[in-house]
Amino acid sequence: MFRLTISLTDCLDSGSCHGPKWRMEPGDLFIPVDSIEEEATLTCDAKGTPPPQYRWSLNGTLINLGLDRRRHLSGGNLIISNLDRYQDAGMYQCMAYNTVGAILSRIASLQFAYLDHFKVHTRSAVSVREGQGVVLLCGTPTSSGDLTYAWVFNEYPYFVQQDNRRFVSQQTGNLYIAKVESSDVGNYTCVVMNSITKGKVHSLSATCYGITCSVSSSPVPEITWKRANGIPFPSKVKMKYSNAVLEIPSFQQDDTGGYECVAENKMGKNTATGRLAFYAKPQWIQTMKDTALAIEERLDWECRANGKPKPSYTWLKNGQQLLSEDRIHVADGILSVSALTLSDAGMYQCVAENTHGVIYFAAELMVLASPPDFTGNVLRALLKAKAGTTVALGCKPQAYPIASILWKKGNLPIHTNDRITLSPDGTLRLANVSKSDAGSYTCFARNRFGMSSTTGRLLVTDPTRIIQGPVDMEIIVGESIVLPCQVGSDPVLDVSFSWAFNGQLIAKGDGHFELVGGRTAGDLMIRNIQLYHAGKYICVVDTDVESLSAVAVLIVKGPPSPPDMVTVEEVTDSTAQLAWNPGRDNGSPITNYLIQTRTPFTVGWQRVNTVPEIIDGSKLTATVVDLNAWVEYEFRVLAKNSVGVGEPSPVSVKTRTEDAVPDAAPGDVGGGGGSRSELVITWEPVPEELQNGESFGYIIAFRAFGEVSWTHVATSAPGASRYVYRNDSIAPFSPFHVKVGTYNSKGQGPFSPVVTIYSAEIGKLMNVSGIFRATKLFLVFKRTKITKVVLVLGYEVVYWEDDTKPETMGKVRVPWNQTSVTVSGLAGNTQYFLTVSAFNTAGTGPFLPAINVTTKKPPPAQPPLNIEWTLIGSQLSLYWEPVLAMESESEVTGYQVSLTFSVCFTVTCLFLLCFQPSESMELTVWWLALSCQAYKEWKQPTWLCPTFTNPYQHL
């Protein structure tokens, strides 16, 4: 056994020491004998403060590493070199220790695996009759380590294959053959293999002529297994080698009991029985924890382990066994130590052991001894309490052993009564405090190692009251409100306000909420209220001594939410039956519904007529009327309440009304004009949404003035707006009665009212002259006499640069009563060709012979440069560089000067001056100074900007 002396003085001073705790314990080693030239390492590693040191024992005897050259430590690991099969085999145990204490590791074994050769002796031949059974004995040689067995038949590598007749026992190595056949005659060799060393040895051959077997019969029996208690095997049980082997993986307590093996053939059956028992090494089910106790206190530890057989317990302190004596009591996994002393501190281990194993569990005991210390647990320098409440003044020093407590108010000891009590833990409680309880309080703590105290002041305040709190309200979406929260409090208290909405604290940064007010007000402003702002609002008022709250429920009303599931249930050519589901009323009952529709021919959504005309809020169906036939409609529904109209519902599925006979006639029927011998009839086409069906077209009816019968012509083009009837017998400008009707696949619709139009006219024109500028042309022409019945509507002017530039052609039209026109947007310094023609409903008449004109050059594009001026008295002189016109520009004939006068007002004078380009570019201007007073007297000082008739009179 180890013996160790531990000093805890340093740890008690610093309070930072901890005993060893295992990180890694040694494990069992099995080393092949043929590897003894290698090293063996037994691991041992523990943590602790200070870092642990290590010692090792072999078979209970301390290893003196100072005198042993083959063994040394690496950290806590024991390394053994030049292994010796006889000296190094055994049971090893590691001890880790530091200034706190010591602990022992589990016991680990070091064994050497080997496999000797078979003893040399001649094996006798085995004789057996065919059909009987036989057992060939292996005779295992001496060995250490797990072995496996096999048999060679006649010569290597022909191994005996296990089947329902042949079985090799992995316990004894024997070969069993049931019902020997003639093919079984031969030489048999037992092969033994060591799973650790990987070595293999062969027995001498045995010749088989016959056999003796634990299960032998003819014919070969069938083998079955069952439990003696009749309980079926669990699914984990496996049968091998024709049921010769029953395998039970993960053997548990439930698997114990009797088992029967039954071998049966037609000649009979035989039964073998056996019993399985369950054994297990100990496993912990209850352990101790590291414990810190004050000196003179009592230690009670208990550990428990299961196992079979039942484990026994021992206790170790710093690696040494503890026995019951004086203050120490040890019994069946229980350790009790009364009236702890400093020497009781250290590392303790509970050891549980049975015949199948030993386990250890370690815990540290710290024994504490110190005078009272209030560090980290002093009384608050100032404690505020509301009058009428209970105040608890804690006195909890760190002291070992526990200190006795004494309270004083000022210099006077405090005596307990019905209102003032002292708890066993030293807490002083003052019930129903008043202003008279205010003052200085001191707690004195004392034990045998010393005394300490802590002092604090109690301030009793008046209760805080909520003077004006929030009230339940109803509000409309989009409005803003202020929820009040105003308090009256003791001036010495710090007051803070917070608000919760539906149980969640309102955070700063939300654009809808803002706290407003001063020290005694925490009003909550809610801007642009939305429906989701409805709910419970709580104003929380916190002070140093209490917390108050006030609650209000806010109901937010808004327009109804959109209806849902709009469906079209029945459709005719002019009606549609709609149904929908209601949306939320958002705090105000729905009064009525509105229906809107949209078609490919409308701009946006349009309200429609319904039956009933006003749809009550309790209704969820309505009939839309006055629809157009054969039009694809979409519908949506809006709900209305006292707040307003809500958002529209999702759009219904597109639905087409049934077709019908057209009920609309073409409008604006007219005509006239055209070419010679033509009657031109025009009308405004019926819009597609009024065509009422497929195969839509027009029926044109006309007759000459005075005739009775109508001529009818049909056109199947829905977009047609013109029809021309040609006949050489039609005289110019002859009157006709005309009407236009409609039809579709359902039938014929109405005709338009009858109107009178005229057949085509004829007519022509004259000479032209013009005045030209840089980019404009003023054109004058004369009308010719009308020789026939002609209606002139106007005149058309056509102009172009030349025939090679068709993109330059332009046209201008003027009414019949205008004989001049200005053509603008022309290029400067460019030759143009122009001609004029009259036009009427029959078209454009012949053009006059073209004339050619040339536009003037454009003005100079360059402004005057380097402008300078001087001011002497009332004389202002301007200077600039002359402008030289480009070859493509008009020559310079003068300059324009603008003057701005600023006194207490601003006046701009414009001088138009004409110069020859060679003259001096100098201008001198005189003006009169005008005071603000003068400006008030002359309201319109037009005389400041004289008009010069002679541009040179002031030069």
Side-chain angles (χ1 to χ4, degrees):
M1 295 293 293
F2 299 109
R3 291 195 178 274
L4 193 65
T5 301
I6 304 295
S7 173
L8 297 178
T9 305
D10 295 338
C11 291
L12 291 176
D13 292 340
S14 65
S16 61
C17 291
H18 297 285
K21 288 293 181 71
W22 290 120
R23 279 197 287 244
M24 186 177 295
E25 297 183 66
D28 296 335
L29 289 181
F30 229 133
I31 300 177
V33 170
D34 55 2
S35 301
I36 58 175
E37 71 279 1
E38 299 179 0
E39 292 183 339
T41 300
L42 292 165
T43 58
C44 185
D45 183 28
K47 61 181 179 179
T49 306
Q53 301 181 54
Y54 303 91
R55 292 179 180 175
W56 284 85
S57 67
L58 172 58
N59 297 326
T61 301
L62 179 65
I63 299 174
N64 190 341
L65 296 175
L67 301 177
D68 195 331
R69 296 183 178 180
R70 293 191 305 109
R71 299 185 180 98
H72 66 278
L73 291 181
S74 175
N77 296 339
L78 177 64
I79 299 177
I80 308 172
S81 57
N82 299 323
L83 292 170
D84 187 290
R85 171 178 174 180
Y86 302 101
Q87 295 185 27
D88 296 325
M91 309 304 290
Y92 288 79
Q93 191 171 30
C94 175
M95 171 187 276
Y97 63 94
N98 63 9
T99 54
V100 175
I103 55 175
L104 294 179
S105 72
R106 67 179 295 274
I107 297 175
S109 66
L110 173 58
Q111 301 181 57
F112 290 87
Y114 61 91
L115 176 61
D116 290 341
H117 291 283
F118 281 91
K119 294 180 180 180
V120 179
H121 61 82
T122 303
R123 290 178 177 259
S124 300
V126 178
S127 177
V128 65
R129 289 194 302 271
E130 185 175 358
Q132 292 185 336
V134 67
V135 178
L136 297 181
L137 304 179
C138 180
T140 305
T142 57
S143 62
S144 175
D146 293 336
L147 302 179
T148 59
Y149 300 89
W151 284 81
V152 174
F153 178 55
N154 287 332
E155 61 181 10
Y156 187 84
Y158 298 103
F159 287 92
V160 174
Q161 301 298 316
Q162 299 186 72
D163 53 26
N164 62 343
R165 292 192 312 110
R166 290 168 293 196
F167 169 69
V168 178
S169 171
Q170 295 301 315
Q171 300 296 321
T172 63
N174 298 338
L175 171 62
Y176 297 84
I177 302 178
K179 189 187 176 185
V180 172
E181 298 176 353
S182 58
S183 60
D184 295 325
V185 175
N187 295 321
Y188 290 82
T189 302
C190 181
V191 181
V192 183
M193 290 158 284
N194 191 311
S195 60
I196 304 298
T197 65
K198 308 302 180 184
K200 182 188 300 183
V201 294
H202 297 73
S203 69
L204 295 178
S205 299
T207 303
C208 178
Y209 295 103
I211 295 177
T212 300
C213 182
S214 58
V215 180
S216 61
S217 64
S218 179
V220 176
E222 292 184 359
I223 299 175
T224 58
W225 290 86
K226 66 179 181 179
R227 299 187 67 168
N229 57 14
I231 298 176
F233 290 127
S235 59
K236 67 178 181 178
V237 173
K238 300 178 182 178
M239 306 289 183
K240 291 185 175 181
Y241 308 123
S242 300
N243 292 355
V245 175
L246 173 69
E247 183 178 285
I248 307 176
S250 184
F251 189 80
Q252 301 295 326
Q253 182 69 39
D254 293 342
D255 298 319
T256 60
Y259 287 78
E260 295 181 359
C261 169
V262 180
E264 184 176 9
N265 64 12
K266 66 182 181 179
M267 303 300 295
K269 69 177 180 179
N270 194 9
T271 301
T273 62
R275 177 166 293 276
L276 293 177
F278 180 83
Y279 298 97
K281 68 179 182 179
Q283 288 185 326
W284 292 118
I285 57 176
Q286 180 181 346
T287 57
M288 320 87 69
K289 294 181 179 180
D290 293 343
T291 303
L293 295 174
I295 192 171
E296 299 179 357
E297 288 188 328
R298 177 185 177 89
L299 170 68
D300 288 295
W301 269 340
E302 183 177 4
C303 63
R304 284 285 178 263
N306 58 16
K308 192 169 183 182
K310 182 180 179 181
S312 61
Y313 302 92
T314 56
W315 285 88
L316 305 178
K317 178 189 175 184
N318 296 329
Q320 305 295 320
Q321 184 174 354
L322 282 174
L323 300 175
S324 295
E325 58 178 6
D326 298 333
R327 298 176 298 105
I328 302 175
H329 175 70
V330 176
D332 194 26
I334 296 176
L335 172 63
S336 298
V337 183
S338 60
L340 289 172
T341 65
L342 293 177
S343 63
D344 292 323
M347 296 300 300
Y348 289 77
Q349 286 179 283
C350 179
V351 183
E353 180 178 5
N354 67 9
T355 55
H356 297 285
V358 183
I359 55 176
Y360 296 76
F361 191 86
E364 179 181 349
L365 172 63
M366 296 182 64
V367 180
L368 306 174
S370 68
D373 183 6
F374 285 99
T375 302
N377 202 18
V378 298
L379 281 174
R380 289 169 57 180
L382 177 62
L383 175 64
K384 299 175 183 178
K386 181 179 71 171
T389 61
T390 297
V391 176
L393 301 175
C395 184
K396 298 179 180 179
Q398 186 176 358
Y400 306 102
I402 296 174
S404 60
I405 302 298
L406 174 66
W407 280 94
K408 288 185 178 182
K409 179 183 178 185
N411 295 321
L412 299 177
I414 296 176
H415 301 287
T416 60
N417 53 37
D418 292 342
R419 195 175 64 85
I420 302 175
T421 59
L422 183 62
S423 301
D425 64 355
T427 299
L428 179 66
R429 282 183 171 79
L430 309 175
N432 192 23
V433 294
S434 63
K435 296 282 187 177
S436 62
D437 292 315
S440 177
Y441 288 79
T442 303
C443 172
F444 295 89
R446 182 193 303 271
N447 67 10
R448 63 179 171 140
F449 296 105
M451 185 189 74
S452 185
S453 65
T454 179
T455 300
R457 187 165 67 92
L458 175 63
L459 178 64
V460 180
T461 65
D462 293 327
T464 302
R465 307 178 315 281
I466 295 180
I467 298 173
Q468 183 181 6
V471 296
D472 296 346
M473 298 180 65
E474 292 185 357
I475 196 72
I476 303 299
V477 166
E479 295 181 350
S480 298
I481 61 168
V482 174
L483 297 178
C485 189
Q486 301 176 8
V487 300
S489 63
D490 196 303
V492 301
L493 295 176
D494 293 327
V495 183
S496 64
F497 298 88
S498 59
W499 284 83
F501 169 49
N502 289 339
Q504 298 294 322
L505 187 67
I506 295 178
K508 293 182 179 179
D510 190 313
H512 291 278
F513 298 105
E514 181 183 357
L515 279 176
V516 294
R519 175 188 175 278
T520 60
D523 299 347
L524 177 66
M525 175 179 285
I526 312 176
R527 295 186 176 92
N528 188 22
I529 287 179
Q530 301 300 308
L531 290 172
Y532 57 80
H533 289 137
K536 180 187 291 185
Y537 288 80
I538 303 177
C539 174
V540 180
V541 182
D542 290 306
T543 70
D544 309 69
V545 298
E546 61 183 322
S547 180
L548 301 86
S549 64
V551 181
V553 175
L554 184 63
I555 298 175
V556 180
K557 294 184 176 181
S561 296
D564 193 18
M565 300 292 293
V566 178
T567 57
V568 182
E569 297 182 340
E570 185 177 345
V571 177
T572 69
D573 60 352
S574 62
T575 65
Q577 178 78 30
L578 301 187
W580 59 88
N581 291 337
R584 297 188 305 273
D585 63 10
N586 294 331
S588 178
I590 297 174
T591 56
N592 61 288
Y593 289 98
L594 308 175
I595 299 179
Q596 295 178 339
T597 185
R598 179 176 66 184
T599 72
F601 315 108
T602 60
V603 179
W605 291 88
Q606 309 291 331
R607 186 172 175 180
V608 292
N609 296 326
T610 60
V611 175
E613 183 177 354
I614 298 177
I615 307 170
D616 186 81
S618 62
K619 302 291 185 181
L620 297 177
T621 61
T623 301
V624 180
V625 298
D626 300 333
L627 300 177
N628 292 326
W630 200 245
V631 173
E632 195 172 63
Y633 284 90
E634 294 176 290
F635 300 95
R636 68 182 188 184
V637 181
L638 300 86
K640 182 180 180 181
N641 61 12
S642 61
V643 179
V645 179
E647 292 294 317
S649 69
V651 180
S652 70
V653 175
K654 291 181 178 180
T655 303
R656 183 182 291 275
T657 51
E658 295 181 351
D659 55 356
V661 173
D663 54 10
D668 196 21
V669 176
S675 300
R676 188 182 189 90
S677 302
E678 289 184 348
L679 177 65
V680 178
I681 304 171
T682 61
W683 63 90
E684 182 180 339
V686 175
E688 185 178 347
E689 64 268 27
L690 300 179
Q691 295 176 3
N692 289 9
E694 296 180 304
S695 303
F696 181 84
Y698 299 96
I699 301 173
I700 301 98
F702 56 92
R703 66 186 178 187
F705 198 77
E707 293 184 359
V708 177
S709 61
W710 294 87
T711 300
H712 293 84
V713 179
T715 174
S716 60
S721 61
R722 186 172 185 266
Y723 173 74
V724 179
Y725 174 68
R726 295 179 177 84
N727 194 310
D728 292 341
S729 64
I730 297 177
F733 209 61
S734 299
F736 281 80
H737 288 162
V738 176
K739 62 180 180 179
V740 181
T742 57
Y743 71 91
N744 63 15
S745 59
K746 296 288 288 186
Q748 182 176 323
F751 275 93
S752 68
V754 177
V755 298
T756 301
I757 64 173
Y758 291 85
S759 59
E761 313 166 77
I762 55 174
K764 68 174 187 174
L765 194 63
M766 70 269 119
N767 65 349
V768 62
S769 63
I771 300 174
F772 315 104
R773 294 184 180 173
T775 59
K776 293 183 179 180
L777 169 63
F778 181 69
L779 195 65
V780 180
F781 44 86
K782 295 181 180 179
R783 286 193 292 266
T784 59
K785 293 181 180 180
I786 299 176
T787 57
K788 295 185 179 179
V789 179
V790 176
L791 177 63
V792 176
L793 297 180
Y795 303 96
E796 182 177 274
V797 177
V798 180
Y799 57 92
W800 64 95
E801 290 187 22
D802 59 55
D803 293 339
T804 63
K805 297 180 179 180
E807 71 278 0
T808 64
M809 178 177 287
K811 293 181 181 181
V812 179
R813 281 193 170 191
V814 296
W816 65 273
N817 60 351
Q818 183 175 326
T819 57
S820 63
V821 65
T822 299
V823 181
S824 60
L826 304 177
N829 195 30
T830 304
Q831 184 182 51
Y832 282 89
F833 296 88
L834 302 99
T835 184
V836 182
S837 173
F839 66 88
N840 59 15
T841 58
T844 302
F847 284 94
L848 291 175
I851 64 171
N852 64 81
V853 295
T854 302
T855 56
K856 294 184 178 181
K857 295 181 179 181
Q862 178 66 40
L865 301 176
N866 298 325
I867 299 175
E868 298 179 359
W869 61 275
T870 60
L871 179 62
I872 302 175
S874 60
Q875 176 175 310
L876 173 68
S877 298
L878 300 177
Y879 306 91
W880 62 85
E881 292 182 1
V883 175
L884 299 179
M886 304 292 290
E887 183 178 351
S888 60
E889 298 175 337
S890 303
E891 62 177 299
V892 178
T893 60
Y895 295 87
Q896 176 179 304
V897 179
S898 296
L899 300 176
T900 299
F901 297 89
S902 296
V903 185
C904 54
F905 54 91
T906 300
V907 179
T908 300
C909 297
L910 181 63
F911 294 87
L912 299 177
L913 309 178
C914 296
F915 301 96
Q916 294 300 321
S918 60
E919 296 183 19
S920 172
M921 300 296 105
E922 179 180 346
L923 173 65
T924 303
V925 180
W926 289 266
W927 70 88
L928 298 177
L930 181 65
S931 67
C932 291
Q933 184 62 35
Y935 173 69
K936 294 178 182 179
E937 296 174 359
W938 289 284
K939 301 299 183 181
Q940 295 180 342
T942 55
W943 52 270
L944 287 176
C945 297
T947 301
F948 302 126
T949 56
N950 182 356
Y952 301 101
Q953 62 181 340
H954 288 291
L955 295 180

